[in-house]
Amino acid sequence: MNRAPIKQLHAFILILLIGFPISAGAQEWLRSQDSHAWARFQPESWKTVRVTHSLIDEAEKVTSQVLTTTTTKLLDSSHNQYVLGVESTVIIGEQKVNQSKDRIKRNINFKGDGFSDVVENKTIKIGAYEFPVEVYTVRLSSKNGQRVSKVYISKETMPSVLRRETQFTNKKGEVEYTTHSNVVEYGLTKDILGKQMQVSRVVTVHEEHGNKTRTDEFFCSEIPGGILSQEITQTNADGVVIAKTVLTLLDYGIGSSATIRGKERDETP
């Protein structure tokens, strides 16, 4: 069996769990430990998710499906970095094809590399809610081109980034991709493993070379990593769906023993 697709899928799963490209040293629009979906929790906090990745043909039939179960644990966290331990099992059909362990260390970008000095103040309305936001321009250059993001940050919400508009332009001045992410619903109440919690719905659309990836997710600030469910739909240049990925929260814990499935654990002997 060709292991390359498994490795690519594994890297994709890590991106889902961490919340930004694994090649990046920091997520530059998250400026503090308190606003980070993982680093804000106590060490030993964890969650287990199931990710189902399906390839779809022109007749809208699933041609192959890969199931991944992943447990991510916060090993260490400080004001400028955090460390995750990730254990995954990949199953194709009835066959377990891969088990892996990863240790991922990432920085939290306090200084905000690439942030503009000028901050624009605006108000964003999400349903019945209105939030004052600070609008930053993040401009990062590389040998391949320049990525420019306009980021709308709220001090009152989690997630703190309520909107993000990103465009990457290559050295020839051609736009290679755009990404638009918005919190489209806020203050929803959802049952999460037997406990009522407040959640937000975030929709992200990424367009690159005619292909489009739409991510529809629910975010809860009480869950390590934030994301409790996620559906990703990929379409080609003709608008035909070619793949779907669904992430489902199975279990989580806060700290070493404080919370399991959103309920207090009784430690009394």
Side-chain angles (χ1 to χ4, degrees):
M1 179 179 294
N2 187 354
R3 298 289 177 178
I6 299 298
K7 291 181 179 179
Q8 293 170 3
L9 178 62
H10 181 61
F12 176 66
I13 299 302
L14 291 179
I15 291 173
L16 296 185
L17 296 170
I18 300 171
F20 63 98
I22 58 176
S23 60
Q27 190 171 4
E28 67 277 350
W29 47 79
L30 292 179
R31 309 193 73 189
S32 72
Q33 182 178 8
D34 290 342
S35 63
H36 196 280
W38 274 107
R40 62 193 297 268
F41 285 91
Q42 307 168 34
E44 301 300 313
S45 295
W46 58 276
K47 75 173 177 182
T48 299
V49 300
R50 179 179 61 241
V51 178
T52 304
H53 181 68
S54 304
L55 297 181
I56 301 171
D57 64 14
E58 294 181 356
E60 300 183 356
K61 293 183 179 180
V62 175
T63 58
S64 66
Q65 194 168 76
V66 179
L67 177 66
T68 304
T69 302
T70 301
T71 296
T72 307
K73 179 182 289 187
L74 179 64
L75 302 179
D76 191 25
S77 177
S78 66
H79 68 283
N80 60 2
Q81 66 182 22
Y82 66 101
V83 181
L84 298 177
V86 182
E87 296 187 17
S88 298
T89 300
V90 179
I91 299 175
I92 299 179
E94 301 295 326
Q95 183 181 8
K96 184 183 295 184
V97 297
N98 186 56
Q99 287 183 299
S100 62
K101 290 185 178 182
D102 293 277
R103 182 182 172 92
I104 302 167
K105 183 178 181 180
R106 290 290 179 264
N107 296 325
I108 300 171
N109 197 343
F110 278 99
K111 295 182 180 179
D113 291 346
F115 265 83
S116 61
D117 293 331
V118 178
V119 178
E120 185 179 0
N121 294 303
K122 286 190 173 183
T123 299
I124 285 183
K125 186 173 183 180
I126 305 172
Y129 298 90
E130 288 190 359
F131 301 104
V133 294
E134 295 178 329
V135 186
Y136 293 86
T137 299
V138 185
R139 199 179 303 270
L140 296 176
S141 299
S142 69
K143 63 180 181 180
N144 297 319
Q146 186 178 70
R147 180 174 61 120
V148 179
S149 297
K150 183 170 283 189
V151 188
Y152 298 70
I153 297 178
S154 168
K155 296 180 180 179
E156 300 178 5
T157 64
M158 186 67 190
S160 60
V161 177
L162 297 184
R163 181 181 300 168
R164 176 170 57 88
E165 303 160 354
T166 298
Q167 179 174 287
F168 180 83
T169 306
N170 63 26
K171 291 294 187 180
K172 296 180 181 180
E174 301 166 332
V175 176
E176 291 200 358
Y177 69 76
T178 61
T179 305
H180 293 84
S181 183
N182 291 277
V183 176
V184 297
E185 293 181 89
Y186 185 85
L188 303 175
T189 300
K190 194 175 182 68
D191 184 288
I192 303 175
L193 301 176
K195 184 176 181 180
Q196 296 294 311
M197 296 185 184
Q198 181 174 296
V199 304
S200 300
R201 181 179 169 218
V202 185
V203 174
T204 302
V205 177
H206 177 86
E207 297 186 65
E208 185 171 0
H209 304 305
N211 298 319
K212 181 183 292 185
T213 302
R214 185 181 190 276
T215 303
D216 196 334
E217 67 188 28
F218 284 97
F219 180 99
C220 178
S221 62
E222 298 181 61
I223 304 296
I227 298 172
L228 64 98
S229 66
Q230 188 177 68
E231 182 173 313
I232 302 173
T233 303
Q234 295 173 264
T235 55
N236 61 19
D238 297 322
V240 177
V241 176
I242 57 175
K244 283 190 177 182
T245 302
V246 177
L247 180 149
T248 305
L249 176 70
L250 299 180
D251 206 349
Y252 73 97
I254 310 298
S256 59
S257 62
T259 311
I260 299 292
R261 294 188 181 275
K263 301 176 183 179
E264 295 296 323
R265 177 194 281 181
D266 185 0
E267 298 291 345
T268 304

